[in-house]
Amino acid sequence: MKTYNLIYACMALFILIGCSKTETDNLGEDEKKSVHADYTLIVKSDGNLSGTIFNVEGEALTIKTEESKFTSMSTPDHSFEENSVLTSYSKKTNCSGTLTVHDFSDGSNVNYEVFSDLGACSLTVKSIARKEDKLYVAYDLHISPTVDEFYVRALDVSGSEPTFVDVELNQRPLELAYANNRLFVLGVDEAVTEENSITVVDAKSNTVIHSQLVGYDVRRIFTNPSNNIIVSYDNLHGTLNSVTMALSYTSYGEGKEPNFNKSSTLHFDSAGKMYYQMSPTAYSIFPVIPAIYDFSKNLTVLYAYENFMTETQLNFEFNVEKTTMVSYDEENNLLLIGYKKTSGENKGGLLLIKPQPDPELLNSIDVEGIPTSIFVN
């Protein structure tokens, strides 16, 4: 078994590909410890999301299914994951929608109706975010066929009745991220420059405190473990300091991009490594594979299936088509990979992998539906 390592050095502009092979199952005592983990796997099937609980016990990693408290729902328009909480937004009418907050740690599920105060209107929700008792919805309000207004609605759900404030924006919002008691709004300055912008909203006062242009073709923003904002482009990313607003850049070089812009899941461990789905280009025959990107070292590790699974496993036992979800259980050192099968539109599976330096397939399970995310209960 082997896994490819891509080491990107932006100054030297080279790519190093190396291999490591699994010799035998000669595990150390620390790796033989009994595993105990409870997960809720969210799967998509026929336009609906549902949950299944997996209890992983012991060295053999026997998987038992149980009924989940996650309420089945239609696939939402937007979703936001934060630790053990999944927040989603589903449109009801042209001017109403529902925010749903599900906490997998205690099984609670709460719904909040939004925009009913606007009466007859037309709006488009662009992005959502959550931080504890604060929920944020960025939206375009369509005043006429040629005029839009832009807002972020900040909902405080800490009291018996939710309260909200609409914060007006100068640029059309695209995506939200939260850090350091501030909401960061990725937008586009359509009126003047067509550049992307970052607008910063103070979470206590719900007022705009900063705005800056960040160039063209920003693909997404998200918060890293250092509580700063990653501003992602195709060939580089910027790190925006959430206190000083200083922006520094990391370049990849042509053909050396970690390609996390299109990943539907981004999961960090405590060391700052990010687990995600990657389009591997020349490094695998599969269109999407699991990958890990280390921001501190500008290094990507690719988990190409053909390098830790046999051809028989891939094509007949597991029927792997593409990766749909990647996560990591740091306590048990398990890489969790959800994938779609070639055997049907709603057929999927979950793989439990021992990660580098000696990647190993530990166990798997077939599921009805396509895995989209997983949460530790």
Side-chain angles (χ1 to χ4, degrees):
M1 302 177 191
K2 56 185 178 179
T3 181
Y4 287 103
N5 298 270
L6 282 70
I7 301 177
Y8 301 154
C10 62
M11 294 300 292
L13 296 178
F14 72 92
I15 179 170
L16 174 64
I17 303 175
C19 303
S20 61
K21 295 186 178 181
T22 301
E23 301 298 334
T24 63
D25 293 332
N26 185 21
L27 303 180
E29 291 301 318
D30 59 330
E31 294 177 290
K32 289 184 179 180
K33 67 180 182 180
S34 178
V35 174
H36 172 80
D38 297 323
Y39 309 112
T40 296
L41 179 70
I42 305 301
V43 299
K44 179 181 178 181
S45 179
D46 294 325
N48 295 308
L49 298 183
S50 59
T52 300
I53 294 178
F54 294 94
N55 300 95
V56 183
E57 294 279 358
E59 226 178 294
L61 297 176
T62 302
I63 303 175
K64 302 176 182 179
T65 61
E66 298 178 8
E67 184 177 355
S68 171
K69 294 181 180 180
F70 177 79
T71 303
S72 296
M73 61 187 299
S74 298
T75 303
D77 298 284
H78 300 276
S79 61
F80 182 84
E81 297 180 18
E82 181 196 22
N83 300 324
S84 63
V85 178
L86 173 64
T87 304
S88 61
Y89 173 83
S90 297
K91 179 180 178 179
K92 293 179 64 178
T93 69
N94 284 340
C95 200
S96 67
T98 302
L99 283 167
T100 301
V101 181
H102 185 91
D103 190 333
F104 291 91
S105 64
D106 59 16
S108 63
N109 194 82
V110 184
N111 295 322
Y112 302 99
E113 302 302 316
V114 287
F115 303 125
S116 58
D117 59 292
L118 295 179
C121 77
S122 178
L123 60 81
T124 302
V125 169
K126 307 303 287 289
S127 182
I128 65 172
R130 172 188 175 273
K131 185 64 176 180
E132 299 175 344
D133 290 327
K134 295 289 186 68
L135 305 177
Y136 297 95
V137 186
Y139 67 99
D140 302 342
L141 184 62
H142 310 306
I143 305 302
S144 73
T146 58
V147 177
D148 288 343
E149 294 178 352
F150 315 123
Y151 298 93
V152 169
R153 176 160 292 198
L155 291 92
D156 187 336
V157 298
S158 60
S160 56
E161 292 292 334
T163 60
F164 69 87
V165 174
D166 278 331
V167 181
E168 189 168 6
L169 305 170
N170 291 326
Q171 290 86 30
R172 188 182 300 276
L174 301 175
E175 194 171 17
L176 301 176
Y178 188 99
N180 192 38
N181 295 317
R182 294 167 174 176
L183 182 72
F184 293 78
V185 185
L186 172 65
V188 58
D189 182 20
E190 295 178 330
V192 181
T193 66
E194 292 292 335
E195 281 190 73
N196 289 113
S197 62
I198 298 288
T199 300
V200 184
V201 178
D202 182 83
K204 294 182 179 180
S205 64
N206 289 319
T207 57
V208 174
I209 59 173
H210 179 77
S211 184
Q212 67 185 81
L213 296 175
V214 290
Y216 299 92
D217 299 325
V218 176
R219 303 306 182 189
R220 69 190 307 175
I221 62 171
F222 53 89
T223 308
N224 69 10
S226 299
N227 217 24
N228 294 315
I229 303 299
I230 300 298
V231 183
S232 181
Y233 308 78
D234 286 333
N235 301 315
L236 73 160
H237 70 262
T239 302
L240 180 65
N241 187 297
S242 63
V243 177
T244 67
M245 306 302 165
L247 186 59
S248 59
Y249 292 94
T250 300
S251 297
Y252 312 130
E254 186 176 356
K256 306 171 187 178
E257 302 86 353
N259 293 332
F260 51 72
N261 284 331
K262 296 181 180 179
S263 179
S264 61
T265 59
L266 300 175
H267 178 86
F268 285 94
D269 65 17
S270 61
K273 296 178 182 178
M274 187 176 72
Y275 300 74
Y276 65 101
Q277 305 127 257
M278 177 185 180
S279 299
T281 60
Y283 303 104
S284 175
I285 63 172
F286 293 89
V288 186
I289 63 172
I292 305 172
Y293 181 67
D294 189 333
F295 283 85
S296 65
K297 298 178 180 178
N298 200 14
L299 178 149
T300 304
V301 179
L302 307 183
Y303 281 80
Y305 289 107
E306 56 266 49
N307 293 321
F308 62 88
M309 297 171 72
T310 67
E311 185 176 355
T312 299
Q313 287 176 319
L314 287 170
N315 298 324
F316 299 101
E317 185 176 352
F318 299 112
N319 303 120
V320 175
E321 179 179 318
K322 64 179 180 180
T323 307
T324 60
M325 177 223 81
V326 183
S327 191
Y328 178 61
D329 178 353
E330 190 164 7
E331 182 177 351
N332 293 297
N333 192 32
L334 292 176
L335 190 61
L336 307 167
I337 301 170
Y339 69 96
K340 181 184 181 301
K341 290 178 174 285
T342 58
S343 52
E345 283 301 312
N346 294 308
K347 299 293 184 181
L350 178 69
L351 304 175
L352 282 73
I353 305 294
K354 174 191 168 190
Q356 65 163 338
D358 298 314
E360 178 185 356
L361 174 62
L362 299 175
N363 209 334
S364 68
I365 190 169
D366 294 336
V367 294
E368 289 294 325
I370 311 303
T372 62
S373 56
I374 194 166
F375 297 86
V376 178
N377 297 332

